Amino acid sequence: MKSSLVAVSAAVVVATLVTGLKDRAALQERFGLGPAGKPVPELMMMGRIKPADAPGGNSEFNAQLVADKIEAITSSPPPAPDTSAPDAAAQQPEAPPPVASQPAAPQTAAPPAPVTPPIVSEPPAPQQAAAPPPPAVDESALRYFASRGDKLRLQAEISRLQALYPNWVPPADPLAVPQNGDKQLEAMWQLYSDGRYAELRKAIADRQAADAGWQPPADLLDRLDVAEARARLINASDLKQFATVVDTAAATPSLLTCSEIDILWRVAEAFIRTERTQRGQDAYTYILKNCPNPAERQATVEKASTLLAYQPMQALLALERPASEGSREFDAIRDNLARRFMAEGNDDPNLAIAPDYVARLEKLAATEGLASDALLLGWYQLRRNNDADAEKWFRAARAKQDSADASQGLALALIARKAPQEAEEVMFRWRADSEDATSTYLAATANLMALQPPADLAEDVLHRVAAEVIARKYAPTAQQFGWYARSLNQFQTAARWFETALAWKPDDEPSAYGLVITREQLSDRKGVLDLQRAWAGRSTRITKLEDTSSLTPNAVATEKGTLAPQQPVQPTQPPRPTAAQPLPAEQGPAQQPEPEVAVGAARPSLQTVTVQRGPRQTRGCSTTIDAGQLGPADALSRGWCLMDINRPMEAISAFEAALQSPARKVREDAAYGQSLAYLRAGLSGNAAVAATKAPQNRQRAAELQVAILADRALSAFDAGRYRETLIYLDQRAQLQQERIDLMVLRGYCYLNLKMYGDATRIFEAAAATGSRDAARGLADVRNVTHPDVND
């Protein structure tokens, strides 16, 4: 029984020792940290880590073989053969083969005395000279862990001591080591085991002060230094102090092994965050080459993928090991890796992603049906001018989830294939979702008005486009409206649009040219001369204007007098999100609207682009009809139209009709619209009820709840229910940061409740932002609290 216990313990010890030594040697080699005598590398000093004797570093340790050999050594030796018998040599059993890398024991006349070490060591050399005394080994930690019955730490301590003292032989039965008689030292080891390092430092100092001749065990101090270094490194990493992380790791190389995988991850991130990407990649490479734990290896790749670019990640993935039944080690995370790489490809049009990842994502989009996957594919193809493929994936994304991101991508693909009318329809709903969505919509309008031949646009389309252009002061579309009006021989209207475009963008030469030729056709000689003087030296075709009677609509003269059609606006594709989840864009603008410029008397009205086209059906929502007679989709459209012209009570009825639709998306939009209509009408209670008529996504639900709580707070304040107002404001503040106007409302609630200190604090905070209402509130508080001073 005892020999079996010894064999098992020894096998675990040898395995731990081999792994520890090879970890450190591999890390030393990976980071270029050579032994003494070689140039000291940057930051890392690895002198304490000794290289492994055997090459490789990942060879599997045969614990059973070592246990068998230990059993053979620790068992009683066979009786010595009788050398007097003539056939004694023939009757001796065959000796077991020697352990690899160990020299054979020299043959002597008598067998050596039996030894019982737990780990096989090399047989001693023949006694030629007196052996030096063995070094003193501090076994206090060994005794402590043995007394506590902590087998894991006991085995780790045996491995550590064997690494430091190659000739040291552990006790035959480590678990039977008697407890340390030094109770104070035992208490110190207990503090170390509990992680109470500051108390341990104090205990050591107190004992040294009381007993000048006592010295703490070197092993205890070394372990304490390493534990404190680990805590400092983790704290620095959590605080994003990456330079400190690297410095601490360099000073404590014993932390940089596979047994401290979290430390290795933190050091790799610190290298990358301090612009030493190659060193960070080397740290991840070390883990994948030397650390065997499958879960840790997979986590390493996932962590690296968030910090390293596509190309370095391919080098790490090349270290993947084969798995069972022909699969690969990282197959479980390969889908997410494909999504991340495709998102990176969307950011960089010049980055070529391997076809395997593109095909994998296409398969995922087809099988799982996630809108986010289709969006990634759409933007990837659009970045590479594959407009047809991009349009296919954007349409698939909109079919799954109609979002601003999907609509924007589809609009850009439609503009690219010269279908701006559909692009304008697609983006109109999302035109105010973000600055980038607005820019895409305006680019679609400019391309729509620049079509050749001019598009036959419905009156409501012209009205809404004109309204958005005027609201955004977008000069390119205003200019195109001028050319569009000229194509219909509406020269007065065209002149006003050109004037408007110049008011928003005074250096817009095409608008100036359109205006000068239009004034020439209107026989406005003074206006022509004014423009020619203003553009003298800047535009030859304006200053040398000749006969304009042959000019065709929507065309401008070149410098040589020939005609060239107006070029449509080419929207720039915005940068895409970097995450694989469906995120609304926070992107750079595709085409920014022009700077705000005041429009004078020449500002056009919406009626300036009305075109007489003969009989047609009534469009829009200006007429009053029974929404119940409309289909759900038409009722929904009418509801939004009524909201646009600020007729919320009629919109409520239209949305109610749309709620009868069998399509879930229509019902969701109708419930959302009806809630907004009730809010606009000041009926927050009805808005809350309407929001429950169909499931809403998280964003819409939060938006409605915030709006309802704000409306209820205002109603409660108007009714003098100030405590109830504060309750609503507190509930709203949990969902969204409080606006300045609501902060002022909160301050007046405190003032009316005679909570002057709270009111002063709120008003001062709001007044610091420049709010005049808050400044007045602060004055009101002072009038109440210090009336004599104000008098």
Side-chain angles (χ1 to χ4, degrees):
M1 180 67 181
K2 180 177 179 180
S3 61
S4 300
L5 178 61
V6 170
V8 173
S9 301
V12 175
V13 167
V14 172
T16 306
L17 173 61
V18 171
T19 304
L21 289 177
K22 290 183 178 180
D23 283 349
R24 298 183 180 186
L27 183 60
Q28 188 177 32
E29 177 183 357
R30 167 56 59 190
F31 290 138
L33 308 172
K38 294 185 179 180
V40 179
E42 180 185 4
L43 294 174
M44 295 286 183
M45 297 288 292
M46 303 291 288
R48 295 175 56 187
I49 299 181
K50 296 179 172 57
D53 295 333
N58 286 321
S59 59
E60 185 178 358
F61 180 75
N62 193 334
Q64 184 60 42
L65 178 60
V66 175
D68 293 342
K69 293 176 180 177
I70 294 174
E71 182 69 22
I73 291 178
T74 56
S75 60
S76 300
D82 187 1
T83 55
S84 61
D87 56 350
Q91 295 176 359
Q92 291 181 359
E94 183 179 356
V99 179
S101 75
Q102 295 180 356
Q107 296 182 358
T108 57
V115 293
T116 58
I119 298 179
V120 177
S121 59
E122 294 185 2
Q127 296 290 338
Q128 296 179 354
V137 179
D138 184 0
E139 299 182 356
S140 58
L142 196 68
R143 296 190 187 96
Y144 174 75
F145 295 136
S147 67
R148 303 289 295 179
D150 192 341
K151 296 183 180 181
L152 294 178
R153 290 191 175 184
L154 177 65
Q155 292 163 0
E157 177 65 10
I158 292 174
S159 299
R160 191 185 69 85
L161 292 176
Q162 286 180 326
L164 294 175
Y165 310 104
N167 295 325
W168 175 76
V169 178
D173 189 359
L175 297 179
V177 175
Q179 295 188 6
N180 197 331
D182 190 337
K183 298 301 182 183
Q184 287 182 286
L185 185 58
E186 289 290 335
M188 292 179 187
W189 278 110
Q190 181 64 48
L191 291 174
Y192 167 78
S193 180
D194 294 342
R196 296 152 62 186
Y197 306 130
E199 296 179 39
L200 175 56
R201 288 285 186 193
K202 184 177 183 302
I204 293 174
D206 291 345
R207 182 165 181 178
Q208 286 181 320
D211 184 0
W214 180 82
Q215 292 294 328
D219 178 41
L220 178 60
L221 292 178
D222 182 64
R223 284 174 167 272
L224 181 56
D225 290 340
V226 172
E228 290 175 334
R230 180 189 296 107
R232 286 196 305 274
L233 189 149
I234 292 175
N235 182 64
S237 177
D238 291 341
L239 295 176
K240 311 301 181 185
Q241 299 172 353
F242 298 113
T244 303
V245 173
V246 174
D247 292 342
T248 305
T252 319
S254 58
L255 289 174
L256 306 177
T257 63
C258 289
S259 60
E260 298 281 0
I261 194 70
D262 180 63
I263 299 299
L264 290 176
W265 287 337
R266 293 174 184 269
V267 172
E269 180 183 6
F271 274 131
I272 296 172
R273 299 295 188 187
T274 53
E275 299 182 358
R276 285 171 281 185
T277 304
Q278 184 58 50
R279 300 292 297 277
Q281 182 182 346
D282 290 343
Y284 290 128
T285 301
Y286 162 77
I287 297 173
L288 295 178
K289 282 188 174 181
N290 297 277
C291 302
N293 186 289
E296 293 174 349
R297 292 170 59 83
Q298 180 172 306
T300 298
V301 173
E302 290 181 303
K303 289 178 178 292
S305 68
T306 64
L307 297 171
L308 294 178
Y310 172 75
Q311 293 299 343
M313 282 302 302
Q314 303 315 300
L316 293 183
L317 291 172
L319 301 175
E320 185 178 22
R321 296 175 179 176
S324 59
E325 299 179 356
S327 61
R328 291 180 291 179
E329 183 180 13
F330 302 135
D331 279 351
I333 60 174
R334 205 170 299 277
D335 291 347
N336 288 335
L337 290 176
R339 293 184 174 105
R340 187 171 298 279
F341 295 154
M342 290 293 287
E344 186 176 347
N346 293 345
D347 290 335
D348 183 4
N350 297 322
L351 179 61
I353 304 298
D356 289 347
Y357 292 119
V358 180
R360 177 177 287 271
L361 192 58
E362 289 178 347
K363 182 178 179 182
L364 286 173
T367 56
E368 297 184 5
L370 293 178
S372 57
D373 290 340
L375 279 177
L376 284 173
L377 288 165
W379 286 112
Y380 183 81
Q381 299 296 348
L382 189 65
R383 292 290 186 189
R384 285 145 188 83
N385 298 321
N386 299 326
D387 302 323
D389 290 337
E391 181 180 344
K392 177 187 72 173
W393 289 114
F394 283 130
R395 289 190 185 278
R398 291 185 81 239
K400 295 294 181 182
Q401 180 182 2
D402 187 6
S403 63
D405 202 24
S407 298
Q408 183 182 349
L410 178 58
L412 291 172
L414 291 169
I415 292 173
R417 72 170 179 89
K418 296 180 174 54
Q421 186 166 0
E422 185 180 357
E424 188 273 338
E425 294 175 358
V426 166
M427 279 304 298
F428 179 72
R429 175 185 173 186
W430 304 101
R431 65 194 183 282
D433 185 79
S434 66
E435 183 180 0
D436 192 52
T438 300
S439 299
T440 302
Y441 174 76
L442 293 174
T445 63
N447 283 271
L448 173 60
M449 302 309 298
L451 283 177
Q452 287 294 328
D456 184 11
L457 301 177
E459 183 178 340
D460 58 338
V461 175
L462 288 171
H463 279 188
R464 73 187 187 192
V465 171
E468 289 298 319
V469 170
I470 293 171
R472 309 289 180 179
K473 295 182 172 60
Y474 189 63
T477 305
Q479 178 205 139
Q480 296 300 335
F481 258 118
W483 296 110
Y484 185 82
R486 282 181 54 84
S487 70
L488 303 174
N489 296 322
Q490 297 181 358
F491 299 115
Q492 293 285 357
T493 300
R496 286 197 293 271
W497 276 113
F498 288 132
E499 289 167 356
T500 302
L502 283 172
W504 296 337
K505 188 179 181 183
D507 62 344
D508 187 18
E509 195 270 351
S511 294
Y513 182 76
L515 180 58
V516 74
I517 63 173
T518 304
R519 285 180 175 176
E520 177 70 19
Q521 290 175 305
L522 292 172
S523 301
D524 183 3
R525 295 302 304 167
K526 181 180 181 300
V528 171
L529 292 175
D530 290 342
L531 278 172
Q532 288 178 327
R533 282 193 295 268
W535 286 87
R538 291 191 292 167
S539 173
T540 304
R541 64 178 180 175
I542 292 177
T543 55
K544 296 183 178 181
L545 185 67
E546 297 179 357
D547 181 26
T548 61
S549 59
S550 62
L551 288 177
T552 58
N554 266 22
V556 295
T558 64
E559 295 294 333
K560 296 182 180 181
T562 58
L563 297 180
Q566 286 288 294
Q567 296 298 319
V569 176
Q570 296 298 329
T572 304
Q573 297 171 18
R576 302 308 317 139
T578 59
Q581 301 301 321
L583 300 175
E586 288 186 9
Q587 306 119 342
Q591 270 195 337
Q592 296 288 352
E594 300 303 324
E596 296 285 332
V597 179
V599 181
R603 177 169 177 166
S605 62
L606 297 183
Q607 287 75 20
T608 58
V609 293
T610 302
V611 181
Q612 299 299 327
R613 304 177 188 273
R616 61 184 182 278
Q617 296 180 350
T618 303
R619 297 177 182 271
C621 54
S622 58
T623 59
T624 302
I625 61 174
D626 182 7
Q629 299 177 358
L630 300 175
D634 293 335
L636 179 63
S637 298
R638 179 174 178 80
W640 289 118
C641 181
L642 290 167
M643 289 289 287
D644 288 339
I645 60 176
N646 200 25
R647 288 158 62 179
M649 298 308 295
E650 295 179 61
I652 291 170
S653 301
F655 287 128
E656 185 66 33
L659 281 168
Q660 309 306 315
S661 172
R664 176 180 176 179
K665 187 66 174 64
V666 174
R667 294 197 307 274
E668 178 183 334
D669 290 345
Y672 177 68
Q674 193 175 60
S675 298
L676 296 180
Y678 275 124
L679 284 173
R680 187 174 297 183
L683 303 172
S684 57
N686 299 73
V689 174
T692 64
K693 293 183 178 180
Q696 301 292 326
N697 59 44
R698 183 178 301 177
Q699 178 181 355
R700 281 185 173 180
E703 175 188 339
L704 288 174
Q705 191 171 1
V706 166
I708 290 170
L709 289 172
D711 189 76
R712 287 177 173 175
L714 291 171
S715 299
F717 184 85
D718 291 339
R721 301 192 301 272
Y722 304 117
R723 295 189 184 278
E724 184 179 341
T725 303
L726 291 175
I727 293 174
Y728 288 135
L729 291 176
D730 289 340
Q731 292 175 347
R732 184 192 180 281
Q734 294 177 358
L735 300 174
Q736 189 180 85
Q737 184 177 0
E738 200 160 75
R739 302 194 310 259
I740 299 301
D741 59 335
L742 295 179
M743 288 180 64
V744 174
L745 186 70
R746 180 185 292 273
Y748 275 106
C749 285
Y750 287 137
L751 177 59
N752 285 285
L753 294 172
K754 298 182 180 181
M755 302 169 66
Y756 302 124
D758 291 332
T760 301
R761 174 176 55 84
I762 293 297
F763 284 136
E764 286 178 346
T769 66
S771 171
R772 295 183 179 180
D773 292 335
R776 283 193 294 269
L778 199 57
D780 291 340
V781 174
R782 291 170 182 166
N783 289 335
V784 174
T785 56
H786 301 87
D788 297 336
V789 175
N790 292 301
D791 291 341

